[in-house]
């Protein structure tokens, strides 16, 4: 049997969301669980385009089994006009069988995003990613204001989940508050997943 793990599933074109995924994975591991980092292939406007089986760099592509067997989920995407990227939506649209069988019911989930500008749709993107997870019966885990970085941040960070302001050129690195909130989400997901998996008698 596979040891319990939290799936950190993201899409990233410029790298910022991938950096956030790595920090969330660190938080999960600090919380005492394994983190499994996966990505999704880009969506092409060419009908015949097929992605390589293995990405040339970065995380492996996610499979439905990665999602089915996880104990919790951290879902990340850059914003596209205030919504998740098409590549992530396409992957989630293919999870109907998991919905039909209730595979994700009562598993904790959190969301994260990166935008070019401070008011570039961070919160609406996070909310858009929550919607399919709620349909799957997952338990949404945000960030409480007991996290000091949520009060102090001058860049990314919301109670709906970690966020990052990458700048117009998408090259701005995560600052310490943004990193702290990524770590905090990872720890919370690990904590809740362990509590939910503990038999109650």
């Amino acid at each position: 049997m596979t040891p319990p793990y939290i799936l950190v599933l993201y899409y990233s074109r410029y790298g910022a969301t991938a950096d956030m995924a790595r920090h969330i994975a660190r938080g999960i591991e600090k919380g005492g669980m394994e983190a499994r980092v996966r990505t999704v292939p880009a969506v092409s406007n060419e009908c015949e385009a097929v992605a390589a089986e293995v990405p040339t760099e970065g995380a492996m592509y996610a499979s439905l089994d990665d999602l089915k067997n996880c104990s919790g989920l951290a879902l990340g995407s850059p914003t596209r006009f205030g919504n998740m990227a098409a590549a992530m939506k396409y992957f989630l649209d293919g999870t109907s069988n998991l919905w039909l069988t209730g595979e994700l019911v009562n598993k904790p989930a959190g969301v994260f995003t990166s935008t070019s500008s401070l008011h570039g749709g961070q919160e609406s993107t996070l909310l858009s990613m929550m919607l399919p997870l709620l349909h799957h019966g997952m338990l949404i885990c945000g960030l409480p204001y007991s996290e000091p970085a949520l009060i102090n941040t001058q860049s990314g960070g919301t109670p709906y989940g970690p966020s990052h302001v990458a700048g117009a050129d998408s090259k701005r690195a995560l600052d310490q508050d943004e990193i702290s909130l990524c770590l905090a989400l990872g720890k919370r997901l690990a904590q809740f997943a362990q509590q939910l998996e503990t038999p109650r008698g």
Side-chain angles (χ1 to χ4, degrees):
M1 186 174 173
T2 306
Y5 63 88
I6 305 288
L7 178 62
V8 183
L9 177 60
Y10 72 92
Y11 174 72
S12 182
R13 188 168 175 193
Y14 298 108
T17 315
D19 290 341
M20 296 180 77
R22 284 188 285 273
H23 288 296
I24 290 168
R26 281 179 49 221
I28 290 165
E29 289 168 357
K30 286 184 177 184
M33 287 194 76
E34 177 187 340
R36 182 174 293 184
V37 181
R38 296 288 185 268
T39 190
V40 296
V43 173
S44 173
N45 59 3
E46 295 180 29
C47 294
E48 299 294 322
V50 177
E53 288 286 323
V54 178
T56 55
E57 60 184 357
M60 300 288 293
Y61 290 137
S63 69
L64 290 181
D65 280 344
D66 288 324
L67 189 55
K68 174 184 175 180
N69 297 320
C70 74
S71 297
L73 172 67
L75 187 70
S77 170
T79 188
R80 295 290 183 266
F81 301 104
N83 205 330
M84 75 180 93
M88 184 57 71
K89 179 70 164 59
Y90 183 80
F91 179 84
L92 292 173
D93 283 349
T95 62
S96 294
N97 285 342
L98 301 183
W99 173 76
L100 286 167
T101 54
E103 299 292 346
L104 301 179
V105 171
N106 292 336
K107 293 181 180 182
V111 291
F112 60 101
T113 192
S114 176
T115 60
S116 294
S117 61
L118 183 59
H119 301 292
Q122 291 185 355
E123 293 181 346
S124 61
T125 299
L126 294 171
L127 291 168
S128 79
M129 287 190 287
M130 289 179 190
L131 297 177
L133 306 184
L134 288 165
H135 277 262
H136 273 289
M138 301 192 85
L139 306 173
I140 302 300
C141 175
L143 289 168
Y145 278 97
S146 56
E147 292 294 335
L150 198 56
I151 300 288
N152 299 328
T153 182
Q154 297 295 306
S155 50
T158 81
Y160 309 116
S163 62
H164 166 61
V165 181
D169 60 1
S170 299
K171 292 183 178 177
R172 180 182 166 274
L174 274 74
D175 66 29
Q176 192 53 55
D177 286 330
E178 293 169 334
I179 290 171
S180 294
L181 293 171
C182 288
L183 292 169
L185 179 66
K187 287 179 186 176
R188 291 194 89 210
L189 286 170
Q191 173 190 359
F192 289 133
Q194 289 166 350
Q195 289 174 348
L196 290 165
E197 287 202 342
T198 303
R200 295 175 189 170

